Amino acid sequence: MSLANGQSYLAIPGPSVVPEAVLRSMHRSSPNIYEGELVEMVPSIISDLRYVARTDHNVALYIANGHGAWEAALANMAGPGDTVLVAATGQFAHSWAEMAETLGIKAEIVEFGTQSTIDPTRISAALRADKAQRIKAVLVTHVDTSTSIKNDIKEARAAIDAADHPALLAVDCIASLCCDVFEMDAWGVDVMVAASQKGLMVPPGLAFVYFNEKAALQQHALERVSSYWNWQQRVSPEGFYQYFCGTAPTLHLYGLRTALDMIKAEGIEAIWSRHKVLAQSIWTAVDCWGSGAGRMRMNVQNPQHRSHAVTALHLGAPDGKKLRRWVEHEAGLTLGIGLGMSTPDDPNGDGFFRFGHMGHVNAQMIMGLLGTVEAGLCALDIPHGSGAVDAAARVMASAS
Ligand SMILES: *Cc1c(COP(=O)(O)O)cnc(C)c1O
């Protein structure tokens, strides 16, 4: 017998669950890429991508994953010999910084560890020290998916303004877009990167780089920009092929069109609220499991600093890994691994794991996730406080 047979649930922080309607819209014959429906559809996609990011500015589309969005943004903001300042609150900031270095861009890191948000005074200080203005952009991860820290982007803006520095504010919203509140224009973000496979509910393969006029002007001053990554022709194409610098991602665009229809029908504020309540019910359950002899802990202590899209947890090694294995093999639920969280006594980060709760996720799925984790804790004799599922149910009940 296996209790894992039945519909499996991939509850990792991306790729996320793809709605049936999105899958169905991608399951069709190939469209003409020169004229007709597909060509007419792309402007509406761009307009709705602006809606989800709360911006009136440009959005360039790429056939890529999140790493592609990182490289695209860097290639349009800085060149070899320039510097970017990276505010690091987890693994993803470091990976973006490493990518800059491979492009010949110096990455100066301001390290905030794996449990704290950015400190704007340290960002201002680093910018003030840059008298020659070599720093072309400040890179901030809105939600770092490894730590589940959510940074206050308004603070990053204020830090740059306080230093009176011309650097662009570039934000990674790959995990947070359509999950956590984000306001590109109101918060003064110059460049933003996102991808299709998290809050946007589409399989991996589409990446988005948003940019405003200030960023466009700075790009014009670069000595050269790779023709593939250049965002300019992608936002003002002379022919349809220039949107994607070649063949369009035909079926992905149908999937994205459907996902955006679903997002607009629900409304972005309602989507943010849904993610908030689901996240709060998870946090409440974790607090119960961690009570008494329980060892489960939220990675981020302050609820204000926690993402609504992903939750990083610590249970200690080897229990974290054992629990992940149990829920996957015995119950059909896949959780995220600990990422970039190694410690001297746990070099592989086996004590950490993550819940992804981004995109097409509702109350019954989160109740299933929590109940399954509870079953795993019982099956493995891992000490834990009681009442977690009941407490989560009450959070959902009082919010409905
Ligand atoms: C997922 C993610 C990435 C990387 O995206 P890939 O599609 O795996 O390249 C980058 N940044 C953040 C914050 C992410 O959540």
Side-chain angles (χ1 to χ4, degrees), residues 13 65-68 70 92 141 143-145 172-175 195 197-198 204:
N65 61 14
H67 282 68
W70 279 346
F92 286 87
T141 310
V143 164
D144 196 298
T145 321
D172 174 345
C173 288
I174 296 171
Q197 78 272 25
K198 302 199 183 182

Side-chain angles (χ1 to χ4, degrees), residues 51-55 141-143 149-154 171-187 189 192 199 267-277 279-280 283 304 306-310:
Y51 162 78
V52 298
R54 303 278 205 156
T55 183
T141 310
H142 184 209
V143 164
I149 287 166
K150 177 166 66 187
N151 287 302
D152 185 337
I153 299 304
K154 294 190 289 305
V171 180
D172 174 345
C173 288
I174 296 171
S176 58
L177 190 69
C178 295
C179 305
D180 283 287
V181 176
F182 178 77
E183 307 260 5
M184 176 162 171
D185 292 356
W187 294 356
V189 174
M192 186 270 273
I268 193 78
E269 286 95 350
I271 292 174
W272 291 336
S273 300
R274 170 165 55 83
H275 281 81
K276 182 178 179 182
V277 173
Q280 286 173 336
W283 306 342
Q304 303 292 328
R306 293 175 186 162
S307 161
H308 296 162
V310 50

Side-chain angles (χ1 to χ4, degrees), residues 324-380:
R324 265 199 308 106
R325 290 268 159 87
W326 191 92
V327 299
E328 177 157 36
H329 298 303
E330 306 295 332
L333 168 69
T334 305
L335 305 178
I337 59 169
L339 206 60
M341 303 294 266
S342 60
T343 56
D345 55 340
D346 179 14
N348 298 323
D350 286 343
F352 287 89
F353 61 99
R354 292 171 300 158
F355 296 151
H357 35 100
M358 43 181 55
H360 195 57
V361 183
N362 61 16
Q364 58 93 9
M365 294 164 79
I366 297 301
M367 288 308 286
L369 178 151
L370 296 173
T372 304
V373 169
E374 174 104 27
L377 292 169
C378 293
L380 297 167

Side-chain angles (χ1 to χ4, degrees), residues 90-386:
Q91 177 65 41
F92 286 87
H94 287 283
S95 300
W96 202 1
E98 281 162 23
M99 180 174 272
E101 293 277 352
T102 67
L103 296 170
I105 301 164
K106 189 175 174 310
E108 185 181 329
I109 294 178
V110 190
E111 179 62 62
F112 298 103
T114 57
Q115 289 185 307
S116 322
T117 54
I118 57 168
D119 172 357
T121 58
R122 287 183 55 208
I123 295 174
S124 288
L127 290 170
R128 285 200 186 95
D130 177 38
K131 301 273 182 262
Q133 300 192 339
R134 288 198 178 86
I135 297 173
K136 298 301 171 200
V138 177
L139 313 188
V140 185
T141 310
H142 184 209
V143 164
D144 196 298
T145 321
S146 61
T147 57
S148 67
I149 287 166
K150 177 166 66 187
N151 287 302
D152 185 337
I153 299 304
K154 294 190 289 305
E155 283 187 350
R157 176 77 267 164
I160 299 172
D161 294 347
D164 198 19
H165 196 288
L168 300 171
L169 172 58
V171 180
D172 174 345
C173 288
I174 296 171
S176 58
L177 190 69
C178 295
C179 305
D180 283 287
V181 176
F182 178 77
E183 307 260 5
M184 176 162 171
D185 292 356
W187 294 356
V189 174
D190 300 305
V191 174
M192 186 270 273
V193 298
S196 57
Q197 78 272 25
K198 302 199 183 182
L200 282 168
M201 312 181 290
V202 175
L206 285 175
F208 312 103
V209 179
Y210 293 73
F211 62 97
N212 65 12
E213 293 316 311
K214 182 181 176 192
L217 284 174
Q218 178 166 315
Q219 192 246 32
H220 291 155
L222 289 175
E223 205 171 306
R224 66 175 77 85
V225 179
S226 124
S227 64
Y228 187 76
W229 292 126
N230 195 325
W231 60 31
Q232 197 51 51
Q233 72 225 15
R234 289 174 187 255
V235 301
S236 45
E238 279 164 24
F240 184 72
Y241 72 98
Q242 283 194 338
Y243 274 118
F244 295 97
C245 195
T247 306
T250 49
L251 303 182
H252 265 71
L253 290 172
Y254 281 92
L256 180 59
R257 180 61 269 158
T258 299
L260 290 166
D261 287 342
M262 292 172 66
I263 289 167
K264 278 172 51 189
E266 184 175 357
I268 193 78
E269 286 95 350
I271 292 174
W272 291 336
S273 300
R274 170 165 55 83
H275 281 81
K276 182 178 179 182
V277 173
L278 296 178
Q280 286 173 336
S281 34
I282 290 170
W283 306 342
T284 303
V286 172
D287 286 346
C288 289
W289 284 324
S291 64
R295 288 189 295 264
M296 200 187 295
R297 300 279 181 272
M298 301 283 305
N299 181 54
V300 183
Q301 295 314 311
N302 183 343
Q304 303 292 328
H305 299 164
R306 293 175 186 162
S307 161
H308 296 162
V310 50
T311 300
L313 296 153
H314 186 248
L315 186 60
D319 285 351
K321 186 174 181 177
K322 278 166 65 183
L323 179 65
R324 265 199 308 106
R325 290 268 159 87
W326 191 92
V327 299
E328 177 157 36
H329 298 303
E330 306 295 332
L333 168 69
T334 305
L335 305 178
I337 59 169
L339 206 60
M341 303 294 266
S342 60
T343 56
D345 55 340
D346 179 14
N348 298 323
D350 286 343
F352 287 89
F353 61 99
R354 292 171 300 158
F355 296 151
H357 35 100
M358 43 181 55
H360 195 57
V361 183
N362 61 16
Q364 58 93 9
M365 294 164 79
I366 297 301
M367 288 308 286
L369 178 151
L370 296 173
T372 304
V373 169
E374 174 104 27
L377 292 169
C378 293
L380 297 167
D381 276 329
I382 297 172
H384 60 281
S386 61

